[in-house]
Amino acid sequence: QMIELHHTIKVGDFRVHANTLMHLTSYFAKHDRFHQALDILLDAHRSGASVQSYQFRSNCSTLLRKSMSLPGGLRICLRIVDNLAKIGVLLNVRLCNIIILNAIEAGDVKTARDVYRSLLENGVKPKVLICRGPL
């Protein structure tokens, strides 16, 4: 039913409230329909969803983590981060921690270290960093 709802929204000639799109994003992200979730998140932004809202950031977090289940997950994650930055999403500690975790899971310690250093250089200090091995 959710897939049909999304299809109807895409082909229909009517306006859907950004909050409805945010709920759809959440549903698709949690049910392994990554590309549809990302598409709907961007539609929500175009429909006026605030990129600073809890719901928007929560969906971003879910999508960034879910990207690791895809082939080339870290590359996809970093591309999402680039696109989110272009629409005004500011990377907070939570989003950066997800990026660091994704990089470590992908075996890319350099990227994890670079993101962590960027946090520190921008005056953002994570409360806790749990890591096995040196960064």
Side-chain angles (χ1 to χ4, degrees), residues 85-113:
K86 287 177 183 174
I87 64 171
V89 175
L90 300 175
L91 297 180
N92 59 12
V93 173
R94 180 179 181 191
L95 294 176
C96 287
N97 282 341
I98 291 169
I99 298 164
I100 291 169
L101 178 60
N102 287 354
I104 290 171
E105 284 182 3
D108 189 344
V109 177
K110 181 188 179 317
T111 296
R113 187 181 315 124

mmCIF file of all heavy atoms in Angstrom, residues 85-113:
data_model
loop_
_atom_site.group_PDB
_atom_site.id
_atom_site.type_symbol
_atom_site.label_atom_id
_atom_site.label_comp_id
_atom_site.label_asym_id
_atom_site.label_seq_id
_atom_site.Cartn_x
_atom_site.Cartn_y
_atom_site.Cartn_z
ATOM 1 N N ALA A 85 24.528 18.556 2.179
ATOM 2 C CA ALA A 85 25.180 19.845 2.429
ATOM 3 C C ALA A 85 24.717 20.887 1.420
ATOM 4 O O ALA A 85 24.513 22.058 1.770
ATOM 5 C CB ALA A 85 26.692 19.686 2.393
ATOM 6 N N LYS A 86 24.515 20.472 0.177
ATOM 7 C CA LYS A 86 24.070 21.404 -0.871
ATOM 8 C C LYS A 86 22.675 21.954 -0.606
ATOM 9 O O LYS A 86 22.353 23.056 -1.063
ATOM 10 C CB LYS A 86 24.107 20.725 -2.236
ATOM 11 C CG LYS A 86 25.510 20.526 -2.763
ATOM 12 C CD LYS A 86 25.513 19.795 -4.079
ATOM 13 C CE LYS A 86 26.932 19.550 -4.543
ATOM 14 N NZ LYS A 86 26.982 18.720 -5.750
ATOM 15 N N ILE A 87 21.827 21.202 0.116
ATOM 16 C CA ILE A 87 20.483 21.708 0.409
ATOM 17 C C ILE A 87 20.413 22.356 1.794
ATOM 18 O O ILE A 87 19.334 22.718 2.250
ATOM 19 C CB ILE A 87 19.393 20.620 0.257
ATOM 20 C CG1 ILE A 87 19.567 19.484 1.254
ATOM 21 C CG2 ILE A 87 19.332 20.123 -1.180
ATOM 22 C CD1 ILE A 87 18.392 18.507 1.297
ATOM 23 N N GLY A 88 21.574 22.493 2.452
ATOM 24 C CA GLY A 88 21.619 23.246 3.706
ATOM 25 C C GLY A 88 21.635 22.429 4.982
ATOM 26 O O GLY A 88 21.518 22.994 6.067
ATOM 27 N N VAL A 89 21.803 21.127 4.883
ATOM 28 C CA VAL A 89 21.888 20.309 6.096
ATOM 29 C C VAL A 89 23.269 20.518 6.703
ATOM 30 O O VAL A 89 24.284 20.303 6.042
ATOM 31 C CB VAL A 89 21.656 18.811 5.794
ATOM 32 C CG1 VAL A 89 21.871 17.963 7.040
ATOM 33 C CG2 VAL A 89 20.266 18.589 5.228
ATOM 34 N N LEU A 90 23.292 20.951 7.961
ATOM 35 C CA LEU A 90 24.554 21.124 8.665
ATOM 36 C C LEU A 90 24.871 19.814 9.383
ATOM 37 O O LEU A 90 24.010 19.242 10.055
ATOM 38 C CB LEU A 90 24.451 22.267 9.674
ATOM 39 C CG LEU A 90 24.110 23.632 9.090
ATOM 40 C CD1 LEU A 90 23.916 24.651 10.198
ATOM 41 C CD2 LEU A 90 25.183 24.085 8.119
ATOM 42 N N LEU A 91 26.098 19.354 9.228
ATOM 43 C CA LEU A 91 26.496 18.113 9.864
ATOM 44 C C LEU A 91 26.715 18.343 11.350
ATOM 45 O O LEU A 91 27.557 19.138 11.741
ATOM 46 C CB LEU A 91 27.764 17.554 9.217
ATOM 47 C CG LEU A 91 27.636 17.170 7.751
ATOM 48 C CD1 LEU A 91 28.952 16.623 7.232
ATOM 49 C CD2 LEU A 91 26.528 16.158 7.537
ATOM 50 N N ASN A 92 25.935 17.640 12.150
ATOM 51 C CA ASN A 92 26.098 17.719 13.589
ATOM 52 C C ASN A 92 26.882 16.489 14.058
ATOM 53 O O ASN A 92 27.309 15.656 13.255
ATOM 54 C CB ASN A 92 24.737 17.830 14.286
ATOM 55 C CG ASN A 92 23.825 16.648 13.996
ATOM 56 O OD1 ASN A 92 24.239 15.625 13.452
ATOM 57 N ND2 ASN A 92 22.571 16.785 14.361
ATOM 58 N N VAL A 93 27.098 16.373 15.359
ATOM 59 C CA VAL A 93 27.882 15.273 15.903
ATOM 60 C C VAL A 93 27.250 13.927 15.541
ATOM 61 O O VAL A 93 27.952 12.984 15.154
ATOM 62 C CB VAL A 93 28.034 15.414 17.437
ATOM 63 C CG1 VAL A 93 28.701 14.184 18.032
ATOM 64 C CG2 VAL A 93 28.845 16.661 17.761
ATOM 65 N N ARG A 94 25.945 13.833 15.630
ATOM 66 C CA ARG A 94 25.273 12.561 15.338
ATOM 67 C C ARG A 94 25.530 12.110 13.896
ATOM 68 O O ARG A 94 25.881 10.961 13.642
ATOM 69 C CB ARG A 94 23.776 12.695 15.593
ATOM 70 C CG ARG A 94 23.010 11.429 15.317
ATOM 71 C CD ARG A 94 21.545 11.623 15.611
ATOM 72 N NE ARG A 94 20.819 10.398 15.372
ATOM 73 C CZ ARG A 94 19.512 10.311 15.347
ATOM 74 N NH1 ARG A 94 18.781 11.377 15.562
ATOM 75 N NH2 ARG A 94 18.923 9.166 15.123
ATOM 76 N N LEU A 95 25.340 13.008 12.949
ATOM 77 C CA LEU A 95 25.557 12.655 11.544
ATOM 78 C C LEU A 95 27.032 12.323 11.286
ATOM 79 O O LEU A 95 27.343 11.368 10.570
ATOM 80 C CB LEU A 95 25.083 13.771 10.624
ATOM 81 C CG LEU A 95 23.567 14.034 10.616
ATOM 82 C CD1 LEU A 95 23.233 15.240 9.742
ATOM 83 C CD2 LEU A 95 22.796 12.815 10.171
ATOM 84 N N CYS A 96 27.933 13.083 11.887
ATOM 85 C CA CYS A 96 29.360 12.806 11.719
ATOM 86 C C CYS A 96 29.740 11.466 12.341
ATOM 87 O O CYS A 96 30.553 10.726 11.786
ATOM 88 C CB CYS A 96 30.206 13.928 12.299
ATOM 89 S SG CYS A 96 30.171 15.426 11.274
ATOM 90 N N ASN A 97 29.156 11.146 13.496
ATOM 91 C CA ASN A 97 29.429 9.844 14.110
ATOM 92 C C ASN A 97 28.994 8.705 13.196
ATOM 93 O O ASN A 97 29.666 7.678 13.103
ATOM 94 C CB ASN A 97 28.733 9.717 15.463
ATOM 95 C CG ASN A 97 29.454 10.462 16.559
ATOM 96 O OD1 ASN A 97 30.630 10.788 16.438
ATOM 97 N ND2 ASN A 97 28.755 10.738 17.637
ATOM 98 N N ILE A 98 27.886 8.888 12.511
ATOM 99 C CA ILE A 98 27.415 7.861 11.572
ATOM 100 C C ILE A 98 28.389 7.722 10.408
ATOM 101 O O ILE A 98 28.728 6.608 9.991
ATOM 102 C CB ILE A 98 25.988 8.182 11.077
ATOM 103 C CG1 ILE A 98 24.992 8.025 12.231
ATOM 104 C CG2 ILE A 98 25.594 7.299 9.896
ATOM 105 C CD1 ILE A 98 23.608 8.556 11.945
ATOM 106 N N ILE A 99 28.867 8.844 9.905
ATOM 107 C CA ILE A 99 29.827 8.808 8.799
ATOM 108 C C ILE A 99 31.109 8.106 9.253
ATOM 109 O O ILE A 99 31.666 7.277 8.525
ATOM 110 C CB ILE A 99 30.117 10.229 8.280
ATOM 111 C CG1 ILE A 99 28.841 10.867 7.738
ATOM 112 C CG2 ILE A 99 31.213 10.206 7.213
ATOM 113 C CD1 ILE A 99 28.931 12.369 7.561
ATOM 114 N N ILE A 100 31.576 8.434 10.453
ATOM 115 C CA ILE A 100 32.779 7.798 10.993
ATOM 116 C C ILE A 100 32.565 6.296 11.142
ATOM 117 O O ILE A 100 33.415 5.487 10.744
ATOM 118 C CB ILE A 100 33.180 8.442 12.341
ATOM 119 C CG1 ILE A 100 33.670 9.875 12.116
ATOM 120 C CG2 ILE A 100 34.239 7.606 13.054
ATOM 121 C CD1 ILE A 100 33.828 10.690 13.388
ATOM 122 N N LEU A 101 31.433 5.908 11.689
ATOM 123 C CA LEU A 101 31.124 4.485 11.852
ATOM 124 C C LEU A 101 31.076 3.780 10.502
ATOM 125 O O LEU A 101 31.638 2.687 10.332
ATOM 126 C CB LEU A 101 29.792 4.312 12.589
ATOM 127 C CG LEU A 101 29.305 2.883 12.790
ATOM 128 C CD1 LEU A 101 30.306 2.077 13.600
ATOM 129 C CD2 LEU A 101 27.942 2.901 13.467
ATOM 130 N N ASN A 102 30.437 4.405 9.524
ATOM 131 C CA ASN A 102 30.371 3.824 8.181
ATOM 132 C C ASN A 102 31.778 3.640 7.597
ATOM 133 O O ASN A 102 32.076 2.609 6.988
ATOM 134 C CB ASN A 102 29.529 4.692 7.246
ATOM 135 C CG ASN A 102 28.046 4.621 7.536
ATOM 136 O OD1 ASN A 102 27.595 3.848 8.368
ATOM 137 N ND2 ASN A 102 27.289 5.442 6.851
ATOM 138 N N ALA A 103 32.629 4.654 7.775
ATOM 139 C CA ALA A 103 33.990 4.573 7.243
ATOM 140 C C ALA A 103 34.774 3.450 7.920
ATOM 141 O O ALA A 103 35.474 2.682 7.249
ATOM 142 C CB ALA A 103 34.705 5.913 7.423
ATOM 143 N N ILE A 104 34.631 3.326 9.225
ATOM 144 C CA ILE A 104 35.335 2.259 9.942
ATOM 145 C C ILE A 104 34.831 0.898 9.491
ATOM 146 O O ILE A 104 35.617 -0.015 9.237
ATOM 147 C CB ILE A 104 35.203 2.446 11.467
ATOM 148 C CG1 ILE A 104 36.026 3.670 11.888
ATOM 149 C CG2 ILE A 104 35.647 1.199 12.212
ATOM 150 C CD1 ILE A 104 35.834 4.102 13.316
ATOM 151 N N GLU A 105 33.515 0.761 9.340
ATOM 152 C CA GLU A 105 32.964 -0.513 8.870
ATOM 153 C C GLU A 105 33.457 -0.856 7.465
ATOM 154 O O GLU A 105 33.617 -2.027 7.131
ATOM 155 C CB GLU A 105 31.435 -0.481 8.885
ATOM 156 C CG GLU A 105 30.838 -0.621 10.250
ATOM 157 C CD GLU A 105 29.320 -0.634 10.248
ATOM 158 O OE1 GLU A 105 28.703 -0.593 9.162
ATOM 159 O OE2 GLU A 105 28.752 -0.689 11.337
ATOM 160 N N ALA A 106 33.702 0.162 6.667
ATOM 161 C CA ALA A 106 34.185 -0.056 5.300
ATOM 162 C C ALA A 106 35.703 -0.253 5.264
ATOM 163 O O ALA A 106 36.268 -0.503 4.206
ATOM 164 C CB ALA A 106 33.789 1.116 4.404
ATOM 165 N N GLY A 107 36.354 -0.116 6.424
ATOM 166 C CA GLY A 107 37.803 -0.271 6.488
ATOM 167 C C GLY A 107 38.568 0.949 6.015
ATOM 168 O O GLY A 107 39.753 0.874 5.720
ATOM 169 N N ASP A 108 37.895 2.093 5.945
ATOM 170 C CA ASP A 108 38.513 3.329 5.484
ATOM 171 C C ASP A 108 38.819 4.225 6.688
ATOM 172 O O ASP A 108 38.099 5.173 6.990
ATOM 173 C CB ASP A 108 37.587 4.039 4.492
ATOM 174 C CG ASP A 108 38.254 5.220 3.806
ATOM 175 O OD1 ASP A 108 39.305 5.695 4.285
ATOM 176 O OD2 ASP A 108 37.697 5.676 2.791
ATOM 177 N N VAL A 109 39.908 3.902 7.355
ATOM 178 C CA VAL A 109 40.284 4.623 8.570
ATOM 179 C C VAL A 109 40.650 6.066 8.252
ATOM 180 O O VAL A 109 40.384 6.967 9.046
ATOM 181 C CB VAL A 109 41.440 3.892 9.297
ATOM 182 C CG1 VAL A 109 41.897 4.658 10.526
ATOM 183 C CG2 VAL A 109 41.002 2.486 9.686
ATOM 184 N N LYS A 110 41.225 6.313 7.072
ATOM 185 C CA LYS A 110 41.599 7.676 6.702
ATOM 186 C C LYS A 110 40.367 8.588 6.663
ATOM 187 O O LYS A 110 40.396 9.685 7.213
ATOM 188 C CB LYS A 110 42.299 7.693 5.349
ATOM 189 C CG LYS A 110 42.740 9.097 4.939
ATOM 190 C CD LYS A 110 43.263 9.144 3.521
ATOM 191 C CE LYS A 110 43.682 10.524 3.083
ATOM 192 N NZ LYS A 110 42.822 11.621 3.427
ATOM 193 N N THR A 111 39.293 8.128 6.047
ATOM 194 C CA THR A 111 38.072 8.945 6.000
ATOM 195 C C THR A 111 37.524 9.167 7.401
ATOM 196 O O THR A 111 37.123 10.283 7.748
ATOM 197 C CB THR A 111 37.013 8.283 5.095
ATOM 198 O OG1 THR A 111 37.521 8.243 3.759
ATOM 199 C CG2 THR A 111 35.707 9.056 5.114
ATOM 200 N N ALA A 112 37.517 8.121 8.213
ATOM 201 C CA ALA A 112 37.037 8.255 9.601
ATOM 202 C C ALA A 112 37.865 9.297 10.343
ATOM 203 O O ALA A 112 37.311 10.164 11.028
ATOM 204 C CB ALA A 112 37.103 6.906 10.315
ATOM 205 N N ARG A 113 39.170 9.237 10.183
ATOM 206 C CA ARG A 113 40.070 10.191 10.841
ATOM 207 C C ARG A 113 39.824 11.604 10.320
ATOM 208 O O ARG A 113 39.773 12.560 11.095
ATOM 209 C CB ARG A 113 41.521 9.778 10.598
ATOM 210 C CG ARG A 113 42.518 10.609 11.375
ATOM 211 C CD ARG A 113 43.970 10.213 11.130
ATOM 212 N NE ARG A 113 44.160 8.784 11.169
ATOM 213 C CZ ARG A 113 44.692 8.074 10.163
ATOM 214 N NH1 ARG A 113 45.066 8.661 9.051
ATOM 215 N NH2 ARG A 113 44.850 6.776 10.283
#
